[in-house]
Amino acid sequence: MSHFPIVSTGAHVTRQVLSDHPDLMVVAFRFEASGAIGALHDHPHVQSTYVESGRFRFTLGDTDQEFGPGDSFVVPSGQTHGCVCLIPGTLVDSFTPRRDDFLKS
């Protein structure tokens, strides 16, 4: 069980750091309602996303793609990305290096 707090990141979306090290961080994002949004953004970290449950439409750069349970993909450093939840569920993201901004909120 994670000792990190659950943080609201928007309507019907929470984030919880599961584990961290200066070189790597694992984070669960829980989407509790269809239509919940992971806002478009970019960051210098390389991100790997695993869809634990639910269904999501992701914007990855200039493309849109749907992902469901068991799917995974990598977001390169600096690529604009975000998602819309189609069926409530959980995304497990890994970041390298870790997201220090997630430890401050």
Side-chain angles (χ1 to χ4, degrees):
M1 180 170 192
S2 177
H3 65 278
F4 294 98
I6 296 171
V7 176
S8 176
T9 62
H12 307 290
V13 184
T14 61
R15 170 185 82 217
Q16 184 178 29
V17 173
L18 301 178
S19 59
D20 86 298
H21 177 277
D23 298 329
L24 180 68
M25 177 179 271
V26 180
V27 182
F29 286 87
R30 294 178 180 91
F31 290 75
E32 299 170 356
S34 296
I37 295 174
L40 285 173
H41 66 286
D42 62 73
H43 45 71
H45 312 83
V46 174
Q47 172 181 330
S48 172
T49 296
Y50 170 75
V51 181
E52 180 179 285
S53 60
R55 188 151 194 87
F56 300 85
R57 183 175 50 252
F58 272 84
T59 298
L60 301 167
D62 295 332
T63 64
D64 287 341
Q65 197 169 354
E66 284 191 24
F67 296 96
D71 290 337
S72 64
F73 56 92
V74 171
V75 180
S77 174
Q79 183 179 61
T80 300
H81 60 285
C83 70
V84 175
C85 176
L86 303 175
I87 298 172
T90 300
L91 302 173
V92 179
D93 289 352
S94 297
F95 299 94
T96 184
R98 83 171 159 212
R99 296 281 308 255
D100 289 334
D101 56 320
F102 286 2
L103 298 175
K104 296 174 185 169
S105 54

